[in-house]
Amino acid sequence: MQPAEFKRGATFKADLSFDDDDEWALVYPHDSVEAAVRFGHRRYPLAITVDPVNRKITAVADDTANWPITGTGLASFDYWITKGGERLPFPGSHNVPLKIIEGATR
């Protein structure tokens, strides 16, 4: 999977959308949803909103100015959905790789 490129200092937003009714039923209703961007052993939690009508979970970080600049694949983000006491990673097979680059400066 190619890393998504992200400019440090910008608002980070990632949507997890479910088009299929059966997929949505696997995660909703849920006990909790968490998401984070990971740099090695350090994690930056993301704020979560759930839109059950549109079957979408959104993770946001408004303050990314302190996120480290990375090379390809050195950062990643992922979701964890807890349902019925079981913690499920999404996507299930791997974390989404990120490449954090310096944002525009004045």
Side-chain angles (χ1 to χ4, degrees), residues 3 19 26 34 36 63 70 81 95:
D19 296 327
L26 290 174
E34 300 169 65
D63 183 10
T70 65
I81 297 172
N95 299 332

Side-chain angles (χ1 to χ4, degrees), residues 16-30:
L16 184 59
S17 298
F18 297 84
D19 296 327
D20 183 75
D21 290 338
D22 292 334
E23 286 180 342
W24 182 242
L26 290 174
V27 299
Y28 188 85
H30 51 265

Side-chain angles (χ1 to χ4, degrees), residues 6-83:
F6 175 75
K7 291 182 181 179
R8 179 172 70 174
T11 296
F12 178 87
K13 179 180 176 187
D15 289 324
L16 184 59
S17 298
F18 297 84
D19 296 327
D20 183 75
D21 290 338
D22 292 334
E23 286 180 342
W24 182 242
L26 290 174
V27 299
Y28 188 85
H30 51 265
D31 302 327
S32 67
V33 179
E34 300 169 65
V37 172
R38 180 177 54 88
F39 301 92
H41 296 296
R42 192 169 190 192
R43 293 188 180 272
Y44 291 80
L46 304 172
I48 299 294
T49 57
V50 178
D51 179 355
V53 172
N54 294 306
R55 297 184 299 209
K56 183 168 64 171
I57 300 170
T58 302
V60 175
D62 290 324
D63 183 10
T64 64
N66 294 324
W67 287 11
I69 300 297
T70 65
T72 301
L74 295 179
S76 64
F77 79 93
D78 44 15
Y79 290 89
W80 302 275
I81 297 172
T82 302
K83 181 174 180 175

